[in-house]
PDB file of all heavy atoms in Angstrom:
ATOM      1  N   LEU A   1      16.153 -42.867  26.034  1.00 97.00           N
ATOM      2  CA  LEU A   1      17.142 -43.890  26.351  1.00 97.00           C
ATOM      3  C   LEU A   1      18.532 -43.263  26.385  1.00 97.00           C
ATOM      4  O   LEU A   1      19.304 -43.337  25.422  1.00 97.00           O
ATOM      5  CB  LEU A   1      17.048 -45.042  25.353  1.00 97.00           C
ATOM      6  CG  LEU A   1      15.740 -45.854  25.471  1.00 97.00           C
ATOM      7  CD1 LEU A   1      15.659 -46.918  24.401  1.00 97.00           C
ATOM      8  CD2 LEU A   1      15.614 -46.477  26.871  1.00 97.00           C
ATOM      9  N   HIS A   2      18.844 -42.636  27.503  1.00 97.00           N
ATOM     10  CA  HIS A   2      20.112 -41.943  27.688  1.00 97.00           C
ATOM     11  C   HIS A   2      20.384 -41.761  29.179  1.00 97.00           C
ATOM     12  O   HIS A   2      19.470 -41.802  30.003  1.00 97.00           O
ATOM     13  CB  HIS A   2      20.087 -40.566  26.992  1.00 97.00           C
ATOM     14  CG  HIS A   2      18.940 -39.704  27.437  1.00 97.00           C
ATOM     15  ND1 HIS A   2      17.909 -39.347  26.604  1.00 97.00           N
ATOM     16  CD2 HIS A   2      18.640 -39.143  28.635  1.00 97.00           C
ATOM     17  CE1 HIS A   2      17.042 -38.600  27.250  1.00 97.00           C
ATOM     18  NE2 HIS A   2      17.464 -38.456  28.491  1.00 97.00           N
ATOM     19  N   GLY A   3      21.648 -41.585  29.509  1.00 95.00           N
ATOM     20  CA  GLY A   3      22.057 -41.335  30.887  1.00 95.00           C
ATOM     21  C   GLY A   3      23.509 -40.912  30.913  1.00 95.00           C
ATOM     22  O   GLY A   3      24.134 -40.698  29.871  1.00 95.00           O
ATOM     23  N   VAL A   4      24.079 -40.791  32.111  1.00 95.00           N
ATOM     24  CA  VAL A   4      25.449 -40.303  32.288  1.00 95.00           C
ATOM     25  C   VAL A   4      26.280 -41.366  33.000  1.00 95.00           C
ATOM     26  O   VAL A   4      25.840 -41.959  33.990  1.00 95.00           O
ATOM     27  CB  VAL A   4      25.473 -38.990  33.089  1.00 95.00           C
ATOM     28  CG1 VAL A   4      26.895 -38.590  33.456  1.00 95.00           C
ATOM     29  CG2 VAL A   4      24.805 -37.875  32.289  1.00 95.00           C
ATOM     30  N   LEU A   5      27.484 -41.587  32.474  1.00 94.00           N
ATOM     31  CA  LEU A   5      28.505 -42.392  33.133  1.00 94.00           C
ATOM     32  C   LEU A   5      29.649 -41.460  33.516  1.00 94.00           C
ATOM     33  O   LEU A   5      30.194 -40.752  32.669  1.00 94.00           O
ATOM     34  CB  LEU A   5      29.013 -43.495  32.199  1.00 94.00           C
ATOM     35  CG  LEU A   5      30.297 -44.213  32.619  1.00 94.00           C
ATOM     36  CD1 LEU A   5      30.093 -45.016  33.899  1.00 94.00           C
ATOM     37  CD2 LEU A   5      30.805 -45.117  31.491  1.00 94.00           C
ATOM     38  N   VAL A   6      30.005 -41.448  34.796  1.00 94.00           N
ATOM     39  CA  VAL A   6      31.131 -40.657  35.290  1.00 94.00           C
ATOM     40  C   VAL A   6      32.238 -41.614  35.708  1.00 94.00           C
ATOM     41  O   VAL A   6      31.998 -42.542  36.491  1.00 94.00           O
ATOM     42  CB  VAL A   6      30.716 -39.772  36.479  1.00 94.00           C
ATOM     43  CG1 VAL A   6      31.936 -39.093  37.101  1.00 94.00           C
ATOM     44  CG2 VAL A   6      29.696 -38.731  36.042  1.00 94.00           C
ATOM     45  N   VAL A   7      33.423 -41.392  35.163  1.00 93.00           N
ATOM     46  CA  VAL A   7      34.585 -42.199  35.531  1.00 93.00           C
ATOM     47  C   VAL A   7      35.582 -41.294  36.247  1.00 93.00           C
ATOM     48  O   VAL A   7      35.958 -40.234  35.721  1.00 93.00           O
ATOM     49  CB  VAL A   7      35.240 -42.856  34.301  1.00 93.00           C
ATOM     50  CG1 VAL A   7      36.427 -43.720  34.738  1.00 93.00           C
ATOM     51  CG2 VAL A   7      34.214 -43.707  33.535  1.00 93.00           C
ATOM     52  N   LEU A   8      35.984 -41.696  37.442  1.00 93.00           N
ATOM     53  CA  LEU A   8      36.904 -40.925  38.271  1.00 93.00           C
ATOM     54  C   LEU A   8      38.304 -41.526  38.209  1.00 93.00           C
ATOM     55  O   LEU A   8      38.455 -42.736  37.994  1.00 93.00           O
ATOM     56  CB  LEU A   8      36.419 -40.915  39.723  1.00 93.00           C
ATOM     57  CG  LEU A   8      35.077 -40.215  39.979  1.00 93.00           C
ATOM     58  CD1 LEU A   8      34.578 -40.561  41.371  1.00 93.00           C
ATOM     59  CD2 LEU A   8      35.217 -38.716  39.821  1.00 93.00           C
ATOM     60  N   PRO A   9      39.340 -40.716  38.422  1.00 92.00           N
ATOM     61  CA  PRO A   9      40.697 -41.269  38.491  1.00 92.00           C
ATOM     62  C   PRO A   9      40.899 -42.044  39.780  1.00 92.00           C
ATOM     63  O   PRO A   9      40.159 -41.876  40.752  1.00 92.00           O
ATOM     64  CB  PRO A   9      41.576 -40.012  38.445  1.00 92.00           C
ATOM     65  CG  PRO A   9      40.719 -38.948  39.044  1.00 92.00           C
ATOM     66  CD  PRO A   9      39.307 -39.260  38.620  1.00 92.00           C
ATOM     67  N   ALA A  10      41.926 -42.891  39.792  1.00 86.00           N
ATOM     68  CA  ALA A  10      42.189 -43.679  40.990  1.00 86.00           C
ATOM     69  C   ALA A  10      42.651 -42.807  42.151  1.00 86.00           C
ATOM     70  O   ALA A  10      42.387 -43.120  43.309  1.00 86.00           O
ATOM     71  CB  ALA A  10      43.226 -44.755  40.681  1.00 86.00           C
ATOM     72  N   ASP A  11      43.345 -41.697  41.863  1.00 83.00           N
ATOM     73  CA  ASP A  11      43.803 -40.798  42.917  1.00 83.00           C
ATOM     74  C   ASP A  11      44.105 -39.436  42.305  1.00 83.00           C
ATOM     75  O   ASP A  11      43.892 -39.208  41.115  1.00 83.00           O
ATOM     76  CB  ASP A  11      45.038 -41.351  43.639  1.00 83.00           C
ATOM     77  CG  ASP A  11      46.150 -41.735  42.669  1.00 83.00           C
ATOM     78  OD1 ASP A  11      46.315 -41.051  41.637  1.00 83.00           O
ATOM     79  OD2 ASP A  11      46.847 -42.731  42.933  1.00 83.00           O
ATOM     80  N   GLY A  12      44.600 -38.526  43.142  1.00 81.00           N
ATOM     81  CA  GLY A  12      44.939 -37.195  42.668  1.00 81.00           C
ATOM     82  C   GLY A  12      43.933 -36.151  43.093  1.00 81.00           C
ATOM     83  O   GLY A  12      42.805 -36.473  43.473  1.00 81.00           O
ATOM     84  N   PRO A  13      44.311 -34.855  43.017  1.00 87.00           N
ATOM     85  CA  PRO A  13      43.443 -33.765  43.497  1.00 87.00           C
ATOM     86  C   PRO A  13      42.401 -33.309  42.487  1.00 87.00           C
ATOM     87  O   PRO A  13      41.609 -32.418  42.797  1.00 87.00           O
ATOM     88  CB  PRO A  13      44.441 -32.638  43.776  1.00 87.00           C
ATOM     89  CG  PRO A  13      45.515 -32.860  42.748  1.00 87.00           C
ATOM     90  CD  PRO A  13      45.632 -34.354  42.594  1.00 87.00           C
ATOM     91  N   SER A  14      42.406 -33.868  41.270  1.00 91.00           N
ATOM     92  CA  SER A  14      41.472 -33.411  40.238  1.00 91.00           C
ATOM     93  C   SER A  14      40.620 -34.584  39.769  1.00 91.00           C
ATOM     94  O   SER A  14      40.909 -35.739  40.088  1.00 91.00           O
ATOM     95  CB  SER A  14      42.243 -32.806  39.054  1.00 91.00           C
ATOM     96  OG  SER A  14      42.590 -33.808  38.112  1.00 91.00           O
ATOM     97  N   PRO A  15      39.567 -34.314  39.003  1.00 94.00           N
ATOM     98  CA  PRO A  15      38.729 -35.399  38.488  1.00 94.00           C
ATOM     99  C   PRO A  15      39.301 -36.082  37.254  1.00 94.00           C
ATOM    100  O   PRO A  15      38.608 -36.878  36.624  1.00 94.00           O
ATOM    101  CB  PRO A  15      37.412 -34.679  38.159  1.00 94.00           C
ATOM    102  CG  PRO A  15      37.796 -33.279  37.877  1.00 94.00           C
ATOM    103  CD  PRO A  15      38.989 -32.985  38.729  1.00 94.00           C
ATOM    104  N   TYR A  16      40.546 -35.808  36.904  1.00 94.00           N
ATOM    105  CA  TYR A  16      41.136 -36.326  35.675  1.00 94.00           C
ATOM    106  C   TYR A  16      42.462 -37.014  35.967  1.00 94.00           C
ATOM    107  O   TYR A  16      43.154 -36.672  36.928  1.00 94.00           O
ATOM    108  CB  TYR A  16      41.356 -35.197  34.660  1.00 94.00           C
ATOM    109  CG  TYR A  16      40.137 -34.333  34.467  1.00 94.00           C
ATOM    110  CD1 TYR A  16      40.112 -33.014  34.949  1.00 94.00           C
ATOM    111  CD2 TYR A  16      38.998 -34.818  33.837  1.00 94.00           C
ATOM    112  CE1 TYR A  16      38.989 -32.217  34.788  1.00 94.00           C
ATOM    113  CE2 TYR A  16      37.869 -34.029  33.679  1.00 94.00           C
ATOM    114  CZ  TYR A  16      37.869 -32.726  34.156  1.00 94.00           C
ATOM    115  OH  TYR A  16      36.753 -31.942  34.009  1.00 94.00           O
ATOM    116  N   ALA A  17      42.818 -37.968  35.121  1.00 91.00           N
ATOM    117  CA  ALA A  17      44.124 -38.602  35.195  1.00 91.00           C
ATOM    118  C   ALA A  17      45.089 -37.872  34.269  1.00 91.00           C
ATOM    119  O   ALA A  17      44.743 -37.571  33.125  1.00 91.00           O
ATOM    120  CB  ALA A  17      44.016 -40.073  34.789  1.00 91.00           C
ATOM    121  N   SER A  18      46.272 -37.557  34.756  1.00 90.00           N
ATOM    122  CA  SER A  18      47.321 -36.896  33.965  1.00 90.00           C
ATOM    123  C   SER A  18      46.800 -35.653  33.242  1.00 90.00           C
ATOM    124  O   SER A  18      46.915 -35.532  32.015  1.00 90.00           O
ATOM    125  CB  SER A  18      47.918 -37.875  32.950  1.00 90.00           C
ATOM    126  OG  SER A  18      48.441 -39.010  33.599  1.00 90.00           O
ATOM    127  N   PRO A  19      46.200 -34.688  33.963  1.00 94.00           N
ATOM    128  CA  PRO A  19      45.724 -33.468  33.296  1.00 94.00           C
ATOM    129  C   PRO A  19      46.890 -32.637  32.773  1.00 94.00           C
ATOM    130  O   PRO A  19      48.005 -32.724  33.292  1.00 94.00           O
ATOM    131  CB  PRO A  19      44.979 -32.726  34.410  1.00 94.00           C
ATOM    132  CG  PRO A  19      45.604 -33.223  35.675  1.00 94.00           C
ATOM    133  CD  PRO A  19      45.973 -34.654  35.417  1.00 94.00           C
ATOM    134  N   PRO A  20      46.656 -31.819  31.723  1.00 95.00           N
ATOM    135  CA  PRO A  20      47.708 -30.914  31.226  1.00 95.00           C
ATOM    136  C   PRO A  20      48.187 -29.974  32.339  1.00 95.00           C
ATOM    137  O   PRO A  20      47.479 -29.763  33.336  1.00 95.00           O
ATOM    138  CB  PRO A  20      47.002 -30.148  30.097  1.00 95.00           C
ATOM    139  CG  PRO A  20      45.848 -30.998  29.706  1.00 95.00           C
ATOM    140  CD  PRO A  20      45.423 -31.714  30.944  1.00 95.00           C
ATOM    141  N   PRO A  21      49.373 -29.381  32.192  1.00 96.00           N
ATOM    142  CA  PRO A  21      49.960 -28.572  33.276  1.00 96.00           C
ATOM    143  C   PRO A  21      49.040 -27.473  33.802  1.00 96.00           C
ATOM    144  O   PRO A  21      48.926 -27.293  35.021  1.00 96.00           O
ATOM    145  CB  PRO A  21      51.224 -28.002  32.632  1.00 96.00           C
ATOM    146  CG  PRO A  21      51.613 -29.010  31.599  1.00 96.00           C
ATOM    147  CD  PRO A  21      50.311 -29.549  31.061  1.00 96.00           C
ATOM    148  N   ALA A  22      48.396 -26.710  32.906  1.00 95.00           N
ATOM    149  CA  ALA A  22      47.556 -25.600  33.371  1.00 95.00           C
ATOM    150  C   ALA A  22      46.362 -26.115  34.157  1.00 95.00           C
ATOM    151  O   ALA A  22      45.952 -25.522  35.167  1.00 95.00           O
ATOM    152  CB  ALA A  22      47.090 -24.759  32.182  1.00 95.00           C
ATOM    153  N   LEU A  23      45.780 -27.230  33.713  1.00 96.00           N
ATOM    154  CA  LEU A  23      44.623 -27.798  34.408  1.00 96.00           C
ATOM    155  C   LEU A  23      45.045 -28.401  35.739  1.00 96.00           C
ATOM    156  O   LEU A  23      44.353 -28.248  36.762  1.00 96.00           O
ATOM    157  CB  LEU A  23      43.965 -28.854  33.521  1.00 96.00           C
ATOM    158  CG  LEU A  23      42.614 -29.390  33.966  1.00 96.00           C
ATOM    159  CD1 LEU A  23      41.599 -28.263  34.125  1.00 96.00           C
ATOM    160  CD2 LEU A  23      42.098 -30.427  32.963  1.00 96.00           C
ATOM    161  N   SER A  24      46.186 -29.041  35.750  1.00 95.00           N
ATOM    162  CA  SER A  24      46.715 -29.582  37.003  1.00 95.00           C
ATOM    163  C   SER A  24      46.983 -28.466  38.002  1.00 95.00           C
ATOM    164  O   SER A  24      46.662 -28.586  39.199  1.00 95.00           O
ATOM    165  CB  SER A  24      47.996 -30.363  36.719  1.00 95.00           C
ATOM    166  OG  SER A  24      48.567 -30.851  37.906  1.00 95.00           O
ATOM    167  N   ALA A  25      47.557 -27.343  37.512  1.00 95.00           N
ATOM    168  CA  ALA A  25      47.850 -26.214  38.397  1.00 95.00           C
ATOM    169  C   ALA A  25      46.569 -25.615  38.968  1.00 95.00           C
ATOM    170  O   ALA A  25      46.524 -25.211  40.139  1.00 95.00           O
ATOM    171  CB  ALA A  25      48.639 -25.157  37.632  1.00 95.00           C
ATOM    172  N   LEU A  26      45.504 -25.562  38.160  1.00 96.00           N
ATOM    173  CA  LEU A  26      44.233 -25.010  38.625  1.00 96.00           C
ATOM    174  C   LEU A  26      43.723 -25.793  39.829  1.00 96.00           C
ATOM    175  O   LEU A  26      43.386 -25.207  40.872  1.00 96.00           O
ATOM    176  CB  LEU A  26      43.208 -25.039  37.491  1.00 96.00           C
ATOM    177  CG  LEU A  26      41.765 -24.709  37.870  1.00 96.00           C
ATOM    178  CD1 LEU A  26      41.647 -23.283  38.403  1.00 96.00           C
ATOM    179  CD2 LEU A  26      40.836 -24.908  36.672  1.00 96.00           C
ATOM    180  N   PHE A  27      43.659 -27.114  39.724  1.00 96.00           N
ATOM    181  CA  PHE A  27      43.125 -27.906  40.829  1.00 96.00           C
ATOM    182  C   PHE A  27      44.083 -27.927  42.015  1.00 96.00           C
ATOM    183  O   PHE A  27      43.638 -27.976  43.176  1.00 96.00           O
ATOM    184  CB  PHE A  27      42.803 -29.322  40.349  1.00 96.00           C
ATOM    185  CG  PHE A  27      41.482 -29.420  39.633  1.00 96.00           C
ATOM    186  CD1 PHE A  27      41.411 -29.278  38.260  1.00 96.00           C
ATOM    187  CD2 PHE A  27      40.310 -29.631  40.338  1.00 96.00           C
ATOM    188  CE1 PHE A  27      40.199 -29.354  37.594  1.00 96.00           C
ATOM    189  CE2 PHE A  27      39.085 -29.711  39.687  1.00 96.00           C
ATOM    190  CZ  PHE A  27      39.028 -29.571  38.315  1.00 96.00           C
ATOM    191  N   SER A  28      45.393 -27.858  41.761  1.00 95.00           N
ATOM    192  CA  SER A  28      46.353 -27.817  42.860  1.00 95.00           C
ATOM    193  C   SER A  28      46.283 -26.500  43.617  1.00 95.00           C
ATOM    194  O   SER A  28      46.556 -26.452  44.821  1.00 95.00           O
ATOM    195  CB  SER A  28      47.770 -28.023  42.324  1.00 95.00           C
ATOM    196  OG  SER A  28      47.914 -29.313  41.761  1.00 95.00           O
ATOM    197  N   ASP A  29      45.913 -25.420  42.927  1.00 95.00           N
ATOM    198  CA  ASP A  29      45.835 -24.099  43.558  1.00 95.00           C
ATOM    199  C   ASP A  29      44.608 -23.938  44.447  1.00 95.00           C
ATOM    200  O   ASP A  29      44.603 -23.085  45.348  1.00 95.00           O
ATOM    201  CB  ASP A  29      45.812 -22.995  42.493  1.00 95.00           C
ATOM    202  CG  ASP A  29      47.181 -22.741  41.879  1.00 95.00           C
ATOM    203  OD1 ASP A  29      48.165 -23.334  42.358  1.00 95.00           O
ATOM    204  OD2 ASP A  29      47.257 -21.961  40.909  1.00 95.00           O
ATOM    205  N   LEU A  30      43.565 -24.721  44.200  1.00 95.00           N
ATOM    206  CA  LEU A  30      42.318 -24.548  44.954  1.00 95.00           C
ATOM    207  C   LEU A  30      42.559 -24.802  46.438  1.00 95.00           C
ATOM    208  O   LEU A  30      42.987 -25.873  46.845  1.00 95.00           O
ATOM    209  CB  LEU A  30      41.240 -25.498  44.427  1.00 95.00           C
ATOM    210  CG  LEU A  30      40.792 -25.281  42.974  1.00 95.00           C
ATOM    211  CD1 LEU A  30      39.845 -26.390  42.532  1.00 95.00           C
ATOM    212  CD2 LEU A  30      40.125 -23.912  42.807  1.00 95.00           C
ATOM    213  N   GLY A  31      42.285 -23.781  47.245  1.00 92.00           N
ATOM    214  CA  GLY A  31      42.437 -23.898  48.689  1.00 92.00           C
ATOM    215  C   GLY A  31      43.852 -23.778  49.195  1.00 92.00           C
ATOM    216  O   GLY A  31      44.087 -23.886  50.408  1.00 92.00           O
ATOM    217  N   THR A  32      44.816 -23.525  48.289  1.00 93.00           N
ATOM    218  CA  THR A  32      46.215 -23.449  48.727  1.00 93.00           C
ATOM    219  C   THR A  32      46.878 -22.145  48.353  1.00 93.00           C
ATOM    220  O   THR A  32      48.044 -21.923  48.716  1.00 93.00           O
ATOM    221  CB  THR A  32      47.035 -24.605  48.115  1.00 93.00           C
ATOM    222  OG1 THR A  32      47.101 -24.450  46.697  1.00 93.00           O
ATOM    223  CG2 THR A  32      46.424 -25.960  48.457  1.00 93.00           C
ATOM    224  N   THR A  33      46.169 -21.270  47.625  1.00 92.00           N
ATOM    225  CA  THR A  33      46.768 -20.017  47.157  1.00 92.00           C
ATOM    226  C   THR A  33      45.861 -18.845  47.514  1.00 92.00           C
ATOM    227  O   THR A  33      44.664 -19.021  47.780  1.00 92.00           O
ATOM    228  CB  THR A  33      46.966 -20.055  45.632  1.00 92.00           C
ATOM    229  OG1 THR A  33      45.694 -20.303  44.999  1.00 92.00           O
ATOM    230  CG2 THR A  33      47.941 -21.151  45.230  1.00 92.00           C
ATOM    231  N   GLY A  34      46.441 -17.645  47.483  1.00 87.00           N
ATOM    232  CA  GLY A  34      45.681 -16.451  47.819  1.00 87.00           C
ATOM    233  C   GLY A  34      44.553 -16.174  46.861  1.00 87.00           C
ATOM    234  O   GLY A  34      43.511 -15.627  47.255  1.00 87.00           O
ATOM    235  N   HIS A  35      44.715 -16.512  45.575  1.00 89.00           N
ATOM    236  CA  HIS A  35      43.649 -16.220  44.621  1.00 89.00           C
ATOM    237  C   HIS A  35      42.553 -17.273  44.637  1.00 89.00           C
ATOM    238  O   HIS A  35      41.497 -17.072  44.034  1.00 89.00           O
ATOM    239  CB  HIS A  35      44.216 -16.050  43.202  1.00 89.00           C
ATOM    240  CG  HIS A  35      45.100 -17.152  42.744  1.00 89.00           C
ATOM    241  ND1 HIS A  35      46.420 -17.225  43.126  1.00 89.00           N
ATOM    242  CD2 HIS A  35      44.881 -18.218  41.937  1.00 89.00           C
ATOM    243  CE1 HIS A  35      46.983 -18.287  42.572  1.00 89.00           C
ATOM    244  NE2 HIS A  35      46.058 -18.914  41.850  1.00 89.00           N
ATOM    245  N   PHE A  36      42.761 -18.432  45.287  1.00 92.00           N
ATOM    246  CA  PHE A  36      41.711 -19.436  45.470  1.00 92.00           C
ATOM    247  C   PHE A  36      41.637 -19.821  46.938  1.00 92.00           C
ATOM    248  O   PHE A  36      41.984 -20.939  47.315  1.00 92.00           O
ATOM    249  CB  PHE A  36      41.963 -20.684  44.617  1.00 92.00           C
ATOM    250  CG  PHE A  36      41.764 -20.475  43.149  1.00 92.00           C
ATOM    251  CD1 PHE A  36      42.775 -20.794  42.260  1.00 92.00           C
ATOM    252  CD2 PHE A  36      40.573 -19.976  42.646  1.00 92.00           C
ATOM    253  CE1 PHE A  36      42.598 -20.614  40.899  1.00 92.00           C
ATOM    254  CE2 PHE A  36      40.387 -19.796  41.289  1.00 92.00           C
ATOM    255  CZ  PHE A  36      41.403 -20.109  40.407  1.00 92.00           C
ATOM    256  N   PRO A  37      41.230 -18.892  47.812  1.00 89.00           N
ATOM    257  CA  PRO A  37      41.152 -19.228  49.236  1.00 89.00           C
ATOM    258  C   PRO A  37      40.023 -20.224  49.490  1.00 89.00           C
ATOM    259  O   PRO A  37      39.073 -20.326  48.712  1.00 89.00           O
ATOM    260  CB  PRO A  37      40.861 -17.869  49.889  1.00 89.00           C
ATOM    261  CG  PRO A  37      40.126 -17.102  48.830  1.00 89.00           C
ATOM    262  CD  PRO A  37      40.745 -17.527  47.522  1.00 89.00           C
ATOM    263  N   GLY A  38      40.153 -20.961  50.567  1.00 91.00           N
ATOM    264  CA  GLY A  38      39.082 -21.887  50.915  1.00 91.00           C
ATOM    265  C   GLY A  38      39.572 -23.310  50.960  1.00 91.00           C
ATOM    266  O   GLY A  38      40.535 -23.639  51.662  1.00 91.00           O
ATOM    267  N   GLU A  39      38.932 -24.175  50.183  1.00 93.00           N
ATOM    268  CA  GLU A  39      39.201 -25.608  50.248  1.00 93.00           C
ATOM    269  C   GLU A  39      39.520 -26.152  48.858  1.00 93.00           C
ATOM    270  O   GLU A  39      39.100 -25.571  47.846  1.00 93.00           O
ATOM    271  CB  GLU A  39      37.979 -26.342  50.808  1.00 93.00           C
ATOM    272  CG  GLU A  39      37.525 -25.857  52.174  1.00 93.00           C
ATOM    273  CD  GLU A  39      36.210 -26.491  52.599  1.00 93.00           C
ATOM    274  OE1 GLU A  39      35.755 -27.440  51.914  1.00 93.00           O
ATOM    275  OE2 GLU A  39      35.635 -26.025  53.599  1.00 93.00           O
ATOM    276  N   PRO A  40      40.214 -27.283  48.781  1.00 95.00           N
ATOM    277  CA  PRO A  40      40.380 -27.951  47.493  1.00 95.00           C
ATOM    278  C   PRO A  40      39.041 -28.495  46.994  1.00 95.00           C
ATOM    279  O   PRO A  40      38.073 -28.603  47.751  1.00 95.00           O
ATOM    280  CB  PRO A  40      41.355 -29.098  47.806  1.00 95.00           C
ATOM    281  CG  PRO A  40      41.963 -28.759  49.133  1.00 95.00           C
ATOM    282  CD  PRO A  40      40.944 -27.942  49.866  1.00 95.00           C
ATOM    283  N   TRP A  41      39.008 -28.850  45.713  1.00 95.00           N
ATOM    284  CA  TRP A  41      37.821 -29.540  45.200  1.00 95.00           C
ATOM    285  C   TRP A  41      37.753 -30.938  45.797  1.00 95.00           C
ATOM    286  O   TRP A  41      38.784 -31.588  46.010  1.00 95.00           O
ATOM    287  CB  TRP A  41      37.885 -29.642  43.681  1.00 95.00           C
ATOM    288  CG  TRP A  41      36.754 -30.479  43.125  1.00 95.00           C
ATOM    289  CD1 TRP A  41      35.451 -30.108  42.982  1.00 95.00           C
ATOM    290  CD2 TRP A  41      36.832 -31.831  42.679  1.00 95.00           C
ATOM    291  NE1 TRP A  41      34.706 -31.149  42.472  1.00 95.00           N
ATOM    292  CE2 TRP A  41      35.534 -32.220  42.276  1.00 95.00           C
ATOM    293  CE3 TRP A  41      37.876 -32.764  42.586  1.00 95.00           C
ATOM    294  CZ2 TRP A  41      35.238 -33.491  41.776  1.00 95.00           C
ATOM    295  CZ3 TRP A  41      37.596 -34.035  42.093  1.00 95.00           C
ATOM    296  CH2 TRP A  41      36.285 -34.388  41.697  1.00 95.00           C
ATOM    297  N   SER A  42      36.556 -31.409  46.089  1.00 93.00           N
ATOM    298  CA  SER A  42      36.349 -32.791  46.530  1.00 93.00           C
ATOM    299  C   SER A  42      35.198 -33.376  45.734  1.00 93.00           C
ATOM    300  O   SER A  42      34.312 -32.665  45.256  1.00 93.00           O
ATOM    301  CB  SER A  42      36.054 -32.855  48.034  1.00 93.00           C
ATOM    302  OG  SER A  42      34.855 -32.169  48.336  1.00 93.00           O
ATOM    303  N   VAL A  43      35.200 -34.679  45.591  1.00 92.00           N
ATOM    304  CA  VAL A  43      34.253 -35.347  44.705  1.00 92.00           C
ATOM    305  C   VAL A  43      32.805 -35.141  45.159  1.00 92.00           C
ATOM    306  O   VAL A  43      31.877 -35.188  44.355  1.00 92.00           O
ATOM    307  CB  VAL A  43      34.593 -36.850  44.584  1.00 92.00           C
ATOM    308  CG1 VAL A  43      34.313 -37.576  45.887  1.00 92.00           C
ATOM    309  CG2 VAL A  43      33.861 -37.492  43.423  1.00 92.00           C
TER     310      VAL A  43
END
């Protein structure tokens, strides 16, 4: 008798609301910087 509940933020580039600065920078860098080439994270 167990399962998973996932709660997403209403908006923003990360899966969290008001993430700390370093975590916010990580998701903002995805797909926009040389060290994270490619695409941003998507749900």
